[in-house]
Amino acid sequence: MATYEFSSDSIKNMLGRFARAADGAVKGAREALREDAEQERVNERARREEERAALAWRGREESAATQTTPAKRAAGAAPVVPAAARIETKPVEIKPVARAATAAPSQPEVHAATTASNHPGCRDQRAPLRSAPSLESMVKSSCAFERERLNEAARRAYDELRKGMFGYQERIEVLGATGEELQDAYEALRYGAPEALWLDGFSRRRSAISALNWDVFPVYRISKDETARLLQEMADRSESLLAALRALPSDEQRVQAAHNALILNCDYSDSDDPAEATAAGALVNGKALCLGISLAFKYLMDRLDIPCVVMRGNANGSGKMEEAGPHAWNLVQVKGGWSHVDVTYDLSGSTDKRRPFLTYLGLSDAQIASTHTWDTDKYPTAARPFDCYRRKGRFVCSWDELAGLLDLTLARDRFCAFQLDERLAHTGATGERVLSAEELRRKIFDLAGASLTGVMAGKTQLSVTGSNALHVYHVAVA
């Protein structure tokens, strides 16, 4: 970050800026921007609707939100956002359930637990349930992708596991499935139902040596009553947000508003709390791992009847795939086409949560492949990008065009978000050299500083943040 001082020489700088604006490329950019002015106003109205949806997480008016007591705010890991947009979060206790000694076999063949069940939980501040509905009735299954991808034997195993695990059975009999099919069925249930936050793996043993018959012994992380309580709280907390999302005119806007709401109201957290790997971590506690955030996003999409899948693969934001680690994100289907949405990666880049990054909102396979890898045979092909920055008139194809965009918006809004054409990272007649991340940021910084010269009096601080892999940047004036 650097400081610009403006003096009487600013007149000369202004003349230089006007000369640059008269250049043919800049003139064309300005004319294009003027032609898009009406569309920009439409986009602005849509953006405000999306912001209202994000701020409607708990359906409270600003006056009610500002009455939140300091004690309540300190009880959980609430994101640092304006009072009107802040969610009151309550830690939830996640602890193992005491099970009968005869529930599990003495020597289980396989233990397929996804997380340890003996982690200490958070403090619990319980709220009474309105009623005691069945767990099955509290699950919204609008996307059957996980079950449909299984073969016939694994689907039968899936149905038996779902019936037994949603009924908190101690032992479930599964017939005619291999061990691999049994594991696939469990994973389909675990990732296809974001409400299934009580599941913590299972052990198994053959019930008949000559047949593929199994006795399955589930591991339940929390009690049935506590599960019902958590599911009710998730429903209560998301009710106002979902109402606001349904009021938006298109599924694409609903996807973006849900993406923005999670960024605004959740923090990434990687501690020993197993709740962070569940949808309740994001929707109730306000802190979660990438898996918890992805499950929470699917929870919202399921209730909007938008097909959504939790993706599992590897990722590295810098694009160094040899250093990629395990990661979870989402696929959504809008207007018949699938697109990638990685709320976690956009959350990590959104230093100002009120202006979230849209870098990983609605990408095609080709676009996200620079930072993410996955089993392409396991998931649908994503070929319908949202092109968020292009649709907003913020996709920049030349440096002169960026200068014109900064001239038009930076002094007025004290902020500018845009995406660079990848070709701008290459220099030379044949693009033989690629600019480093630092060189790109410095060039953007210098253009932004020149744009403000002679326009804003006094000292002005600029910051440039962004994703180097996908060339999305935010320029802010402090």
Side-chain angles (χ1 to χ4, degrees), residues 411-475:
R412 181 192 68 194
D413 303 331
R414 305 181 70 88
F415 177 80
C416 184
F418 55 89
Q419 184 173 23
L420 294 179
D421 189 314
E422 186 179 359
R423 290 172 294 183
L424 293 183
H426 298 262
T427 62
T430 58
E432 65 275 6
R433 192 174 82 83
V434 178
L435 295 175
S436 68
E438 181 59 32
E439 288 174 319
L440 279 172
R441 288 172 187 258
R442 172 52 58 181
K443 193 170 183 68
I444 293 169
F445 185 89
D446 289 342
L447 284 174
S451 177
L452 293 177
T453 301
V455 177
M456 301 184 69
K459 295 183 178 180
T460 302
Q461 289 186 325
L462 288 171
S463 65
V464 179
T465 57
S467 165
N468 296 320
L470 296 179
H471 303 309
V472 173
Y473 298 95
H474 283 189
V475 180

Short mmCIF file of all heavy atoms in Angstrom, two decimals, residues 411-475:
data_model
loop_
_atom_site.label_atom_id
_atom_site.label_comp_id
_atom_site.label_asym_id
_atom_site.label_seq_id
_atom_site.Cartn_x
_atom_site.Cartn_y
_atom_site.Cartn_z
N ALA A 411 -13.18 7.21 -8.39
CA ALA A 411 -13.40 8.41 -7.57
C ALA A 411 -14.85 8.49 -7.09
O ALA A 411 -15.13 8.93 -5.98
CB ALA A 411 -13.03 9.66 -8.37
N ARG A 412 -15.77 8.04 -7.94
CA ARG A 412 -17.20 8.11 -7.59
C ARG A 412 -17.57 7.12 -6.50
O ARG A 412 -18.25 7.46 -5.52
CB ARG A 412 -18.03 7.84 -8.84
CG ARG A 412 -19.53 7.90 -8.64
CD ARG A 412 -20.25 7.34 -9.85
NE ARG A 412 -20.04 5.90 -10.00
CZ ARG A 412 -20.33 5.21 -11.10
NH1 ARG A 412 -20.81 5.84 -12.16
NH2 ARG A 412 -20.11 3.92 -11.14
N ASP A 413 -17.12 5.88 -6.66
CA ASP A 413 -17.54 4.81 -5.74
C ASP A 413 -16.50 4.46 -4.69
O ASP A 413 -16.81 3.71 -3.77
CB ASP A 413 -17.87 3.54 -6.55
CG ASP A 413 -18.92 3.77 -7.61
OD1 ASP A 413 -19.77 4.67 -7.41
OD2 ASP A 413 -18.89 3.06 -8.64
N ARG A 414 -15.27 4.97 -4.87
CA ARG A 414 -14.15 4.61 -4.00
C ARG A 414 -13.88 3.10 -4.03
O ARG A 414 -13.31 2.53 -3.11
CB ARG A 414 -14.38 5.08 -2.56
CG ARG A 414 -14.67 6.56 -2.44
CD ARG A 414 -14.86 6.99 -1.00
NE ARG A 414 -13.61 6.95 -0.25
CZ ARG A 414 -12.75 7.95 -0.17
NH1 ARG A 414 -12.98 9.07 -0.83
NH2 ARG A 414 -11.65 7.83 0.54
N PHE A 415 -14.29 2.48 -5.11
CA PHE A 415 -14.16 1.03 -5.23
C PHE A 415 -14.38 0.63 -6.68
O PHE A 415 -15.17 1.24 -7.40
CB PHE A 415 -15.20 0.32 -4.35
CG PHE A 415 -15.20 -1.18 -4.47
CD1 PHE A 415 -14.26 -1.94 -3.79
CD2 PHE A 415 -16.14 -1.83 -5.25
CE1 PHE A 415 -14.26 -3.31 -3.90
CE2 PHE A 415 -16.15 -3.20 -5.36
CZ PHE A 415 -15.20 -3.95 -4.68
N CYS A 416 -13.65 -0.38 -7.13
CA CYS A 416 -13.85 -0.91 -8.48
C CYS A 416 -13.48 -2.38 -8.50
O CYS A 416 -12.39 -2.77 -8.04
CB CYS A 416 -13.00 -0.14 -9.50
SG CYS A 416 -13.30 -0.65 -11.22
N ALA A 417 -14.39 -3.22 -8.98
CA ALA A 417 -14.15 -4.66 -9.12
C ALA A 417 -14.18 -5.00 -10.60
O ALA A 417 -15.04 -4.52 -11.34
CB ALA A 417 -15.21 -5.45 -8.36
N PHE A 418 -13.26 -5.86 -11.03
CA PHE A 418 -13.18 -6.20 -12.45
C PHE A 418 -12.39 -7.49 -12.63
O PHE A 418 -11.73 -7.98 -11.70
CB PHE A 418 -12.50 -5.07 -13.24
CG PHE A 418 -11.15 -4.70 -12.72
CD1 PHE A 418 -9.99 -5.34 -13.18
CD2 PHE A 418 -11.00 -3.72 -11.75
CE1 PHE A 418 -8.74 -5.00 -12.69
CE2 PHE A 418 -9.76 -3.38 -11.25
CZ PHE A 418 -8.62 -4.02 -11.72
N GLN A 419 -12.48 -8.03 -13.84
CA GLN A 419 -11.69 -9.20 -14.22
C GLN A 419 -10.90 -8.88 -15.48
O GLN A 419 -11.43 -8.32 -16.44
CB GLN A 419 -12.60 -10.41 -14.48
CG GLN A 419 -11.83 -11.69 -14.79
CD GLN A 419 -12.75 -12.91 -14.87
OE1 GLN A 419 -13.95 -12.77 -15.12
NE2 GLN A 419 -12.19 -14.08 -14.66
N LEU A 420 -9.61 -9.21 -15.46
CA LEU A 420 -8.75 -8.96 -16.60
C LEU A 420 -8.80 -10.14 -17.56
O LEU A 420 -8.82 -11.30 -17.15
CB LEU A 420 -7.30 -8.76 -16.15
CG LEU A 420 -6.96 -7.54 -15.30
CD1 LEU A 420 -5.48 -7.56 -14.95
CD2 LEU A 420 -7.32 -6.25 -16.03
N ASP A 421 -8.79 -9.81 -18.84
CA ASP A 421 -8.57 -10.84 -19.85
C ASP A 421 -7.20 -11.47 -19.60
O ASP A 421 -6.22 -10.76 -19.36
CB ASP A 421 -8.62 -10.21 -21.24
CG ASP A 421 -8.61 -11.25 -22.36
OD1 ASP A 421 -7.80 -12.19 -22.29
OD2 ASP A 421 -9.41 -11.12 -23.29
N GLU A 422 -7.14 -12.79 -19.62
CA GLU A 422 -5.89 -13.48 -19.31
C GLU A 422 -4.74 -13.03 -20.22
O GLU A 422 -3.57 -13.05 -19.81
CB GLU A 422 -6.09 -14.99 -19.45
CG GLU A 422 -4.89 -15.81 -19.02
CD GLU A 422 -5.15 -17.30 -19.17
OE1 GLU A 422 -6.26 -17.67 -19.59
OE2 GLU A 422 -4.24 -18.08 -18.86
N ARG A 423 -5.05 -12.58 -21.42
CA ARG A 423 -4.00 -12.17 -22.35
C ARG A 423 -3.25 -10.94 -21.87
O ARG A 423 -2.12 -10.69 -22.30
CB ARG A 423 -4.61 -11.89 -23.73
CG ARG A 423 -5.10 -13.16 -24.44
CD ARG A 423 -5.86 -12.83 -25.71
NE ARG A 423 -7.12 -12.14 -25.40
CZ ARG A 423 -8.00 -11.79 -26.32
NH1 ARG A 423 -7.78 -12.06 -27.60
NH2 ARG A 423 -9.13 -11.18 -25.97
N LEU A 424 -3.84 -10.16 -20.94
CA LEU A 424 -3.15 -8.98 -20.43
C LEU A 424 -1.98 -9.35 -19.52
O LEU A 424 -1.15 -8.49 -19.22
CB LEU A 424 -4.14 -8.08 -19.68
CG LEU A 424 -5.23 -7.42 -20.52
CD1 LEU A 424 -6.08 -6.51 -19.66
CD2 LEU A 424 -4.63 -6.65 -21.68
N ALA A 425 -1.95 -10.58 -19.09
CA ALA A 425 -0.82 -11.02 -18.27
C ALA A 425 0.41 -11.35 -19.11
O ALA A 425 1.48 -11.60 -18.58
CB ALA A 425 -1.21 -12.24 -17.45
N HIS A 426 0.25 -11.33 -20.43
CA HIS A 426 1.35 -11.65 -21.34
C HIS A 426 1.87 -10.37 -21.99
O HIS A 426 1.11 -9.49 -22.36
CB HIS A 426 0.88 -12.63 -22.42
CG HIS A 426 0.42 -13.94 -21.88
ND1 HIS A 426 1.21 -15.06 -21.84
CD2 HIS A 426 -0.76 -14.30 -21.32
CE1 HIS A 426 0.54 -16.06 -21.30
NE2 HIS A 426 -0.67 -15.62 -20.97
N THR A 427 3.17 -10.27 -22.15
CA THR A 427 3.79 -9.10 -22.76
C THR A 427 4.59 -9.52 -23.98
O THR A 427 4.89 -10.71 -24.18
CB THR A 427 4.71 -8.37 -21.77
OG1 THR A 427 5.77 -9.26 -21.40
CG2 THR A 427 3.96 -7.94 -20.53
N GLY A 428 4.97 -8.53 -24.78
CA GLY A 428 5.74 -8.82 -25.98
C GLY A 428 4.83 -9.05 -27.17
O GLY A 428 3.64 -9.31 -27.04
N ALA A 429 5.41 -8.99 -28.35
CA ALA A 429 4.63 -9.12 -29.57
C ALA A 429 3.93 -10.46 -29.67
O ALA A 429 2.83 -10.58 -30.20
CB ALA A 429 5.53 -8.90 -30.79
N THR A 430 4.58 -11.49 -29.16
CA THR A 430 3.99 -12.83 -29.24
C THR A 430 3.59 -13.35 -27.87
O THR A 430 3.28 -14.53 -27.72
CB THR A 430 5.00 -13.80 -29.88
OG1 THR A 430 6.21 -13.82 -29.11
CG2 THR A 430 5.31 -13.40 -31.31
N GLY A 431 3.61 -12.47 -26.87
CA GLY A 431 3.22 -12.88 -25.53
C GLY A 431 4.17 -13.87 -24.91
O GLY A 431 3.77 -14.78 -24.20
N GLU A 432 5.48 -13.67 -25.20
CA GLU A 432 6.45 -14.66 -24.75
C GLU A 432 6.71 -14.60 -23.25
O GLU A 432 7.15 -15.57 -22.65
CB GLU A 432 7.77 -14.50 -25.52
CG GLU A 432 8.52 -13.19 -25.27
CD GLU A 432 8.03 -12.05 -26.15
OE1 GLU A 432 7.03 -12.26 -26.86
OE2 GLU A 432 8.63 -10.96 -26.11
N ARG A 433 6.45 -13.46 -22.60
CA ARG A 433 6.70 -13.35 -21.16
C ARG A 433 5.40 -13.15 -20.41
O ARG A 433 4.51 -12.42 -20.86
CB ARG A 433 7.64 -12.16 -20.87
CG ARG A 433 8.18 -12.19 -19.44
CD ARG A 433 9.21 -11.10 -19.23
NE ARG A 433 8.60 -9.82 -18.97
CZ ARG A 433 8.17 -9.42 -17.76
NH1 ARG A 433 8.27 -10.24 -16.74
NH2 ARG A 433 7.65 -8.23 -17.60
N VAL A 434 5.29 -13.80 -19.29
CA VAL A 434 4.09 -13.70 -18.46
C VAL A 434 4.40 -12.82 -17.26
O VAL A 434 5.38 -13.06 -16.54
CB VAL A 434 3.61 -15.09 -17.99
CG1 VAL A 434 2.39 -14.96 -17.10
CG2 VAL A 434 3.31 -15.98 -19.19
N LEU A 435 3.57 -11.81 -17.05
CA LEU A 435 3.77 -10.94 -15.89
C LEU A 435 3.53 -11.70 -14.60
O LEU A 435 2.61 -12.51 -14.50
CB LEU A 435 2.81 -9.75 -15.97
CG LEU A 435 3.00 -8.76 -17.13
CD1 LEU A 435 1.88 -7.73 -17.11
CD2 LEU A 435 4.35 -8.08 -17.05
N SER A 436 4.35 -11.43 -13.62
CA SER A 436 4.16 -12.06 -12.31
C SER A 436 2.96 -11.42 -11.62
O SER A 436 2.46 -10.37 -12.03
CB SER A 436 5.42 -11.87 -11.45
OG SER A 436 5.58 -10.50 -11.12
N ALA A 437 2.50 -12.07 -10.55
CA ALA A 437 1.38 -11.53 -9.78
C ALA A 437 1.70 -10.15 -9.25
O ALA A 437 0.85 -9.24 -9.28
CB ALA A 437 1.03 -12.48 -8.64
N GLU A 438 2.93 -9.94 -8.80
CA GLU A 438 3.32 -8.64 -8.26
C GLU A 438 3.34 -7.58 -9.36
O GLU A 438 2.92 -6.43 -9.14
CB GLU A 438 4.70 -8.75 -7.61
CG GLU A 438 5.21 -7.45 -6.99
CD GLU A 438 4.28 -6.91 -5.92
OE1 GLU A 438 3.62 -7.71 -5.23
OE2 GLU A 438 4.20 -5.67 -5.78
N GLU A 439 3.81 -7.93 -10.55
CA GLU A 439 3.84 -6.98 -11.66
C GLU A 439 2.43 -6.58 -12.07
O GLU A 439 2.16 -5.40 -12.38
CB GLU A 439 4.59 -7.59 -12.84
CG GLU A 439 6.09 -7.69 -12.63
CD GLU A 439 6.79 -8.43 -13.75
OE1 GLU A 439 6.24 -9.44 -14.23
OE2 GLU A 439 7.89 -8.00 -14.14
N LEU A 440 1.51 -7.53 -12.10
CA LEU A 440 0.13 -7.22 -12.46
C LEU A 440 -0.50 -6.27 -11.44
O LEU A 440 -1.15 -5.28 -11.80
CB LEU A 440 -0.70 -8.50 -12.55
CG LEU A 440 -0.60 -9.30 -13.85
CD1 LEU A 440 -1.33 -10.63 -13.71
CD2 LEU A 440 -1.19 -8.50 -15.01
N ARG A 441 -0.29 -6.56 -10.17
CA ARG A 441 -0.87 -5.71 -9.13
C ARG A 441 -0.27 -4.30 -9.19
O ARG A 441 -0.97 -3.31 -8.99
CB ARG A 441 -0.65 -6.34 -7.76
CG ARG A 441 -1.52 -7.56 -7.51
CD ARG A 441 -1.12 -8.24 -6.20
NE ARG A 441 -1.83 -9.49 -6.05
CZ ARG A 441 -2.89 -9.66 -5.25
NH1 ARG A 441 -3.34 -8.64 -4.55
NH2 ARG A 441 -3.49 -10.82 -5.15
N ARG A 442 1.03 -4.21 -9.44
CA ARG A 442 1.67 -2.90 -9.51
C ARG A 442 1.13 -2.09 -10.69
O ARG A 442 0.88 -0.89 -10.57
CB ARG A 442 3.18 -3.09 -9.65
CG ARG A 442 3.98 -1.82 -9.93
CD ARG A 442 3.69 -0.70 -8.95
NE ARG A 442 3.96 -1.07 -7.58
CZ ARG A 442 3.76 -0.26 -6.55
NH1 ARG A 442 3.24 0.96 -6.75
NH2 ARG A 442 4.03 -0.65 -5.33
N LYS A 443 0.89 -2.76 -11.81
CA LYS A 443 0.36 -2.05 -12.98
C LYS A 443 -1.05 -1.54 -12.69
O LYS A 443 -1.41 -0.41 -13.02
CB LYS A 443 0.36 -2.98 -14.19
CG LYS A 443 0.13 -2.28 -15.51
CD LYS A 443 0.38 -3.21 -16.67
CE LYS A 443 0.22 -2.50 -18.02
NZ LYS A 443 1.29 -1.50 -18.23
N ILE A 444 -1.87 -2.39 -12.05
CA ILE A 444 -3.23 -1.97 -11.67
C ILE A 444 -3.17 -0.82 -10.68
O ILE A 444 -3.91 0.17 -10.78
CB ILE A 444 -4.00 -3.16 -11.08
CG1 ILE A 444 -4.24 -4.23 -12.16
CG2 ILE A 444 -5.33 -2.71 -10.49
CD1 ILE A 444 -4.75 -5.55 -11.61
N PHE A 445 -2.26 -0.92 -9.72
CA PHE A 445 -2.11 0.12 -8.70
C PHE A 445 -1.73 1.45 -9.34
O PHE A 445 -2.30 2.50 -9.00
CB PHE A 445 -1.05 -0.32 -7.70
CG PHE A 445 -0.88 0.60 -6.53
CD1 PHE A 445 -1.63 0.44 -5.38
CD2 PHE A 445 0.03 1.65 -6.57
CE1 PHE A 445 -1.49 1.29 -4.30
CE2 PHE A 445 0.19 2.50 -5.50
CZ PHE A 445 -0.58 2.32 -4.35
N ASP A 446 -0.80 1.43 -10.27
CA ASP A 446 -0.36 2.67 -10.91
C ASP A 446 -1.48 3.30 -11.73
O ASP A 446 -1.65 4.53 -11.73
CB ASP A 446 0.85 2.39 -11.79
CG ASP A 446 2.11 2.07 -10.98
OD1 ASP A 446 2.13 2.40 -9.78
OD2 ASP A 446 3.06 1.49 -11.56
N LEU A 447 -2.24 2.48 -12.44
CA LEU A 447 -3.37 3.02 -13.21
C LEU A 447 -4.42 3.63 -12.29
O LEU A 447 -5.00 4.68 -12.59
CB LEU A 447 -4.00 1.91 -14.06
CG LEU A 447 -3.23 1.49 -15.32
CD1 LEU A 447 -3.91 0.28 -15.96
CD2 LEU A 447 -3.14 2.64 -16.31
N ALA A 448 -4.67 2.97 -11.15
CA ALA A 448 -5.65 3.49 -10.20
C ALA A 448 -5.17 4.82 -9.61
O ALA A 448 -5.95 5.78 -9.46
CB ALA A 448 -5.90 2.48 -9.09
N GLY A 449 -3.88 4.90 -9.27
CA GLY A 449 -3.34 6.14 -8.74
C GLY A 449 -3.42 7.28 -9.74
O GLY A 449 -3.79 8.41 -9.41
N ALA A 450 -3.11 6.98 -11.02
CA ALA A 450 -3.19 8.01 -12.05
C ALA A 450 -4.64 8.47 -12.25
O ALA A 450 -4.89 9.64 -12.52
CB ALA A 450 -2.62 7.47 -13.36
N SER A 451 -5.58 7.55 -12.09
CA SER A 451 -6.99 7.89 -12.26
C SER A 451 -7.45 8.88 -11.20
O SER A 451 -8.31 9.73 -11.47
CB SER A 451 -7.84 6.62 -12.21
OG SER A 451 -9.21 6.91 -12.29
N LEU A 452 -6.88 8.78 -10.00
CA LEU A 452 -7.32 9.66 -8.91
C LEU A 452 -6.56 10.97 -8.85
O LEU A 452 -6.97 11.90 -8.15
CB LEU A 452 -7.15 8.92 -7.57
CG LEU A 452 -8.05 7.71 -7.34
CD1 LEU A 452 -7.72 7.04 -6.03
CD2 LEU A 452 -9.51 8.12 -7.37
N THR A 453 -5.44 11.07 -9.57
CA THR A 453 -4.62 12.26 -9.52
C THR A 453 -5.42 13.48 -10.02
O THR A 453 -5.99 13.47 -11.11
CB THR A 453 -3.36 12.10 -10.39
OG1 THR A 453 -2.62 10.98 -9.92
CG2 THR A 453 -2.50 13.35 -10.34
N GLY A 454 -5.47 14.50 -9.19
CA GLY A 454 -6.19 15.72 -9.54
C GLY A 454 -7.68 15.64 -9.30
O GLY A 454 -8.38 16.62 -9.52
N VAL A 455 -8.16 14.50 -8.85
CA VAL A 455 -9.60 14.33 -8.63
C VAL A 455 -9.93 14.36 -7.15
O VAL A 455 -10.91 14.97 -6.73
CB VAL A 455 -10.09 13.01 -9.26
CG1 VAL A 455 -11.56 12.79 -8.97
CG2 VAL A 455 -9.84 13.02 -10.75
N MET A 456 -9.09 13.72 -6.35
CA MET A 456 -9.32 13.67 -4.90
C MET A 456 -8.21 14.42 -4.20
O MET A 456 -7.02 14.17 -4.43
CB MET A 456 -9.38 12.22 -4.41
CG MET A 456 -10.47 11.40 -5.09
SD MET A 456 -10.63 9.72 -4.44
CE MET A 456 -11.28 10.07 -2.80
N ALA A 457 -8.58 15.36 -3.34
CA ALA A 457 -7.61 16.18 -2.64
C ALA A 457 -7.04 15.44 -1.45
O ALA A 457 -7.66 14.53 -0.91
CB ALA A 457 -8.26 17.49 -2.20
N GLY A 458 -5.85 15.85 -1.03
CA GLY A 458 -5.24 15.27 0.15
C GLY A 458 -4.59 13.93 -0.14
O GLY A 458 -4.35 13.55 -1.28
N LYS A 459 -4.27 13.22 0.92
CA LYS A 459 -3.62 11.92 0.80
C LYS A 459 -4.66 10.82 0.62
O LYS A 459 -5.67 10.81 1.30
CB LYS A 459 -2.78 11.62 2.04
CG LYS A 459 -1.60 12.56 2.22
CD LYS A 459 -0.76 12.17 3.43
CE LYS A 459 0.44 13.09 3.57
NZ LYS A 459 1.27 12.70 4.75
N THR A 460 -4.39 9.93 -0.29
CA THR A 460 -5.32 8.85 -0.59
C THR A 460 -4.57 7.53 -0.60
O THR A 460 -3.50 7.42 -1.20
CB THR A 460 -5.98 9.06 -1.97
OG1 THR A 460 -6.64 10.31 -1.98
CG2 THR A 460 -6.98 7.95 -2.26
N GLN A 461 -5.11 6.54 0.07
CA GLN A 461 -4.51 5.22 0.11
C GLN A 461 -5.30 4.26 -0.76
O GLN A 461 -6.53 4.24 -0.72
CB GLN A 461 -4.44 4.70 1.55
CG GLN A 461 -3.43 5.43 2.41
CD GLN A 461 -3.29 4.81 3.78
OE1 GLN A 461 -4.27 4.33 4.35
NE2 GLN A 461 -2.09 4.81 4.32
N LEU A 462 -4.57 3.48 -1.52
CA LEU A 462 -5.17 2.50 -2.41
C LEU A 462 -4.79 1.11 -1.98
O LEU A 462 -3.67 0.87 -1.51
CB LEU A 462 -4.69 2.72 -3.85
CG LEU A 462 -5.21 3.93 -4.61
CD1 LEU A 462 -4.45 4.08 -5.92
CD2 LEU A 462 -6.69 3.77 -4.87
N SER A 463 -5.72 0.17 -2.15
CA SER A 463 -5.40 -1.24 -1.93
C SER A 463 -5.87 -2.03 -3.14
O SER A 463 -6.92 -1.74 -3.72
CB SER A 463 -6.07 -1.76 -0.66
OG SER A 463 -7.47 -1.74 -0.78
N VAL A 464 -5.09 -3.02 -3.53
CA VAL A 464 -5.42 -3.91 -4.64
C VAL A 464 -5.38 -5.34 -4.12
O VAL A 464 -4.35 -5.81 -3.66
CB VAL A 464 -4.45 -3.76 -5.82
CG1 VAL A 464 -4.81 -4.72 -6.94
CG2 VAL A 464 -4.45 -2.33 -6.33
N THR A 465 -6.52 -6.02 -4.16
CA THR A 465 -6.59 -7.42 -3.74
C THR A 465 -7.23 -8.21 -4.87
O THR A 465 -7.94 -7.66 -5.71
CB THR A 465 -7.43 -7.59 -2.47
OG1 THR A 465 -8.74 -7.05 -2.69
CG2 THR A 465 -6.80 -6.87 -1.29
N GLY A 466 -6.96 -9.51 -4.89
CA GLY A 466 -7.59 -10.29 -5.94
C GLY A 466 -7.04 -11.69 -6.07
O GLY A 466 -6.18 -12.13 -5.32
N SER A 467 -7.58 -12.38 -7.06
CA SER A 467 -7.18 -13.74 -7.38
C SER A 467 -6.27 -13.71 -8.59
O SER A 467 -6.70 -13.35 -9.70
CB SER A 467 -8.42 -14.61 -7.68
OG SER A 467 -8.05 -15.82 -8.32
N ASN A 468 -5.01 -14.07 -8.39
CA ASN A 468 -4.06 -14.04 -9.49
C ASN A 468 -4.35 -15.15 -10.50
O ASN A 468 -4.09 -14.99 -11.70
CB ASN A 468 -2.64 -14.18 -8.96
CG ASN A 468 -2.24 -13.00 -8.08
OD1 ASN A 468 -2.56 -11.86 -8.39
ND2 ASN A 468 -1.57 -13.28 -6.98
N ALA A 469 -4.88 -16.27 -10.03
CA ALA A 469 -5.12 -17.39 -10.93
C ALA A 469 -6.20 -17.07 -11.96
O ALA A 469 -6.09 -17.44 -13.13
CB ALA A 469 -5.50 -18.64 -10.13
N LEU A 470 -7.27 -16.37 -11.53
CA LEU A 470 -8.38 -16.06 -12.43
C LEU A 470 -8.45 -14.57 -12.77
O LEU A 470 -9.39 -14.13 -13.43
CB LEU A 470 -9.70 -16.52 -11.81
CG LEU A 470 -9.82 -18.04 -11.63
CD1 LEU A 470 -11.14 -18.40 -10.98
CD2 LEU A 470 -9.68 -18.76 -12.96
N HIS A 471 -7.48 -13.78 -12.29
CA HIS A 471 -7.33 -12.37 -12.64
C HIS A 471 -8.55 -11.53 -12.30
O HIS A 471 -8.99 -10.68 -13.09
CB HIS A 471 -6.99 -12.23 -14.13
CG HIS A 471 -5.75 -12.96 -14.54
ND1 HIS A 471 -4.56 -12.83 -13.87
CD2 HIS A 471 -5.53 -13.86 -15.54
CE1 HIS A 471 -3.63 -13.59 -14.44
NE2 HIS A 471 -4.20 -14.24 -15.44
N VAL A 472 -9.12 -11.75 -11.13
CA VAL A 472 -10.20 -10.91 -10.61
C VAL A 472 -9.61 -10.02 -9.51
O VAL A 472 -8.91 -10.53 -8.63
CB VAL A 472 -11.36 -11.75 -10.04
CG1 VAL A 472 -12.39 -10.86 -9.35
CG2 VAL A 472 -12.02 -12.55 -11.15
N TYR A 473 -9.89 -8.73 -9.57
CA TYR A 473 -9.27 -7.79 -8.64
C TYR A 473 -10.29 -6.80 -8.08
O TYR A 473 -11.27 -6.45 -8.76
CB TYR A 473 -8.13 -7.01 -9.33
CG TYR A 473 -7.03 -7.90 -9.83
CD1 TYR A 473 -7.02 -8.35 -11.14
CD2 TYR A 473 -5.98 -8.29 -8.99
CE1 TYR A 473 -6.01 -9.17 -11.61
CE2 TYR A 473 -4.97 -9.12 -9.45
CZ TYR A 473 -4.98 -9.55 -10.75
OH TYR A 473 -3.99 -10.37 -11.21
N HIS A 474 -10.04 -6.37 -6.85
CA HIS A 474 -10.79 -5.30 -6.21
C HIS A 474 -9.81 -4.16 -5.91
O HIS A 474 -8.75 -4.40 -5.31
CB HIS A 474 -11.42 -5.76 -4.89
CG HIS A 474 -12.64 -6.59 -5.08
ND1 HIS A 474 -13.47 -6.95 -4.03
CD2 HIS A 474 -13.21 -7.14 -6.19
CE1 HIS A 474 -14.48 -7.70 -4.49
NE2 HIS A 474 -14.33 -7.83 -5.79
N VAL A 475 -10.15 -2.95 -6.33
CA VAL A 475 -9.36 -1.76 -5.99
C VAL A 475 -10.22 -0.90 -5.07
O VAL A 475 -11.37 -0.59 -5.40
CB VAL A 475 -8.96 -0.96 -7.25
CG1 VAL A 475 -8.15 0.27 -6.85
CG2 VAL A 475 -8.17 -1.83 -8.21
#
